[in-house]
Amino acid sequence: MSKHLHLNAFLMSTGHHEASWRLPESDPAANGKLDHYVQLTQTAERGLFDSIFFADGPVLHTDVGRRPSGGFEPLTLLSALSVVTDKIGLIATASTTYNSPYNLARRFASIDHLSGGRAGWNIVTTAGGDAARNFGLTDQPAHSERYRRAREFVEVARALWDSWEDDVEIADKASGIWGDASRIHPPHHRGEFYSVDGALNVARSPQGYPLLVQAGSSTDGRAFAAQYAEAIFTAQQTLADAQEFYSDIKARTLTFGRDPEAIKVLPGIVPVIGSTEAEAQAKDAELESYIVHEFAQRQLAELLKVPLEELPLDGPLPADLPPEASIEGAKSRYTLIVDLARRENLTVRQLIGRLGGGRGHRTFTGTPDQVADAIETWFRSGAADGFNIMPPILPSGLEIFVDHVVPILQQRGLFRTEYTADTLRGHYGLPRPVNSNSHQEAKLG
């Protein structure tokens, strides 16, 4: 193999399956316990994962009756995790719609310093009117406006991270000069959404700036990713869809003058693993048996923008659903879910069961060898550079993957047997960005 898989662990409370908290082994209060996330992150590091990742949004996402809700602000959590780990990358979600570039650039630069160069930013535009109303707006900005704002936000953040050259500090005690002011470059930005004048008040960080991650797959999302992202977390249900997305992203990346290898595509996979197929299927059936369909029905009706009474559990989706163009929220996820139901002729009940594990991400049930086969097939078939591993149950699902699937991937020459870099960019085989205000050459992260 000329290259290895990249593996990211997407960590979520008691697991990605919405009913995982109801299992006898689960701690329903784990979402609010630091020790839980320390254990998970150290397990992923033991498995030599490139990174761990936390999703987030500035809103209470779900009916608290349905599953564990609320949780730590992810950048704060990464600060704690940075001191109990040594190598693994630490990625947090932060919104470009409900943050300011200066504050967010400062927080990510600080995490990158504190972790020794292991920070990553999952850039989201945040869909949904509930979040908007938490910030004094009556509704969410339009989809296209959110992406215009995101582009300007990232441009400003990169200018702020580059506002210090790497060698500002002189620390000449004899002359009394600490730093070279000529190597500070305030952005003096005036744009459509932001006005940011001064330089950042933290030095350029070990990685230059954090690894930039993106997770949208709409037309706007793909264009944004091709221009800025260095890793993409995506949801694809079939090999053909994953191959189309992969080739499209790589081609779009070229149009921005970027090397296609500078962007890593990581589809999500929810592996339900058993020592035998029968054991894995039994685990899957147990999880599905704990789903409360009334909660899931309401959420599906909200996502599809249809009245609840049009979604009878044992009937199909309505024939006249709104077109994607009319959806101002998560466009690509809407289309993925509708296509899944239509393609496999699923009832609403069956669709809810399929979505219970990964909310549209691919689920796979089988033995460790079968999970490794599924991963290898997509990797070798031009569908993925790696995977966003989404254990349905935590902590056991991650432990099983690390102890039983990772060794198989290593034996096949698909995955590292030791860390060979110290930074997150290094794990992904990406260079440290050249400061736009200097003439340094790029160095491997």
Side-chain angles (χ1 to χ4, degrees), residues 206 270 380 424 427 443:
V270 183
R380 291 190 184 274
L424 177 53
H427 300 335
K443 298 178 180 178

PDB file of all heavy atoms in Angstrom, residues 206 270 380 424 427 443:
ATOM      1  N   PRO A 206       1.672  25.641  16.833  1.00  0.00           N
ATOM      2  CA  PRO A 206       2.564  24.612  16.283  1.00  0.00           C
ATOM      3  C   PRO A 206       2.204  24.143  14.880  1.00  0.00           C
ATOM      4  O   PRO A 206       3.084  23.872  14.071  1.00  0.00           O
ATOM      5  CB  PRO A 206       2.444  23.471  17.304  1.00  0.00           C
ATOM      6  CG  PRO A 206       2.151  24.159  18.593  1.00  0.00           C
ATOM      7  CD  PRO A 206       1.277  25.320  18.225  1.00  0.00           C
ATOM      8  N   VAL A 270     -21.071   3.108  11.137  1.00  0.00           N
ATOM      9  CA  VAL A 270     -21.515   2.695  12.466  1.00  0.00           C
ATOM     10  C   VAL A 270     -21.388   1.178  12.529  1.00  0.00           C
ATOM     11  O   VAL A 270     -22.240   0.444  12.021  1.00  0.00           O
ATOM     12  CB  VAL A 270     -22.976   3.119  12.715  1.00  0.00           C
ATOM     13  CG1 VAL A 270     -23.404   2.753  14.135  1.00  0.00           C
ATOM     14  CG2 VAL A 270     -23.164   4.609  12.456  1.00  0.00           C
ATOM     15  N   ARG A 380     -10.151   0.741  -1.073  1.00  0.00           N
ATOM     16  CA  ARG A 380      -9.455   0.340  -2.301  1.00  0.00           C
ATOM     17  C   ARG A 380     -10.251   0.681  -3.564  1.00  0.00           C
ATOM     18  O   ARG A 380      -9.704   0.617  -4.664  1.00  0.00           O
ATOM     19  CB  ARG A 380      -9.168  -1.164  -2.277  1.00  0.00           C
ATOM     20  CG  ARG A 380      -8.129  -1.596  -1.245  1.00  0.00           C
ATOM     21  CD  ARG A 380      -7.735  -3.042  -1.471  1.00  0.00           C
ATOM     22  NE  ARG A 380      -6.816  -3.560  -0.489  1.00  0.00           N
ATOM     23  CZ  ARG A 380      -5.492  -3.436  -0.542  1.00  0.00           C
ATOM     24  NH1 ARG A 380      -4.945  -2.771  -1.544  1.00  0.00           N
ATOM     25  NH2 ARG A 380      -4.720  -3.975   0.390  1.00  0.00           N
ATOM     26  N   LEU A 424      -1.500  16.622  14.486  1.00  0.00           N
ATOM     27  CA  LEU A 424      -2.654  16.130  13.738  1.00  0.00           C
ATOM     28  C   LEU A 424      -2.397  16.223  12.237  1.00  0.00           C
ATOM     29  O   LEU A 424      -2.716  15.293  11.485  1.00  0.00           O
ATOM     30  CB  LEU A 424      -3.898  16.922  14.126  1.00  0.00           C
ATOM     31  CG  LEU A 424      -5.199  16.600  13.395  1.00  0.00           C
ATOM     32  CD1 LEU A 424      -5.529  15.122  13.449  1.00  0.00           C
ATOM     33  CD2 LEU A 424      -6.341  17.425  13.975  1.00  0.00           C
ATOM     34  N   HIS A 427      -0.340  13.302  11.229  1.00  0.00           N
ATOM     35  CA  HIS A 427      -1.092  12.046  11.107  1.00  0.00           C
ATOM     36  C   HIS A 427      -1.800  11.957   9.757  1.00  0.00           C
ATOM     37  O   HIS A 427      -1.865  10.878   9.147  1.00  0.00           O
ATOM     38  CB  HIS A 427      -2.134  11.932  12.220  1.00  0.00           C
ATOM     39  CG  HIS A 427      -1.572  11.938  13.609  1.00  0.00           C
ATOM     40  ND1 HIS A 427      -0.293  11.539  13.900  1.00  0.00           N
ATOM     41  CD2 HIS A 427      -2.137  12.308  14.801  1.00  0.00           C
ATOM     42  CE1 HIS A 427      -0.085  11.649  15.210  1.00  0.00           C
ATOM     43  NE2 HIS A 427      -1.185  12.112  15.765  1.00  0.00           N
ATOM     44  N   LYS A 443       6.408  22.781   5.611  1.00  0.00           N
ATOM     45  CA  LYS A 443       7.024  21.625   6.264  1.00  0.00           C
ATOM     46  C   LYS A 443       5.929  20.649   6.632  1.00  0.00           C
ATOM     47  O   LYS A 443       4.808  21.045   6.938  1.00  0.00           O
ATOM     48  CB  LYS A 443       7.788  22.060   7.518  1.00  0.00           C
ATOM     49  CG  LYS A 443       8.953  23.018   7.224  1.00  0.00           C
ATOM     50  CD  LYS A 443       9.622  23.428   8.523  1.00  0.00           C
ATOM     51  CE  LYS A 443      10.796  24.377   8.250  1.00  0.00           C
ATOM     52  NZ  LYS A 443      11.421  24.831   9.509  1.00  0.00           N
TER      53      LYS A 443
END
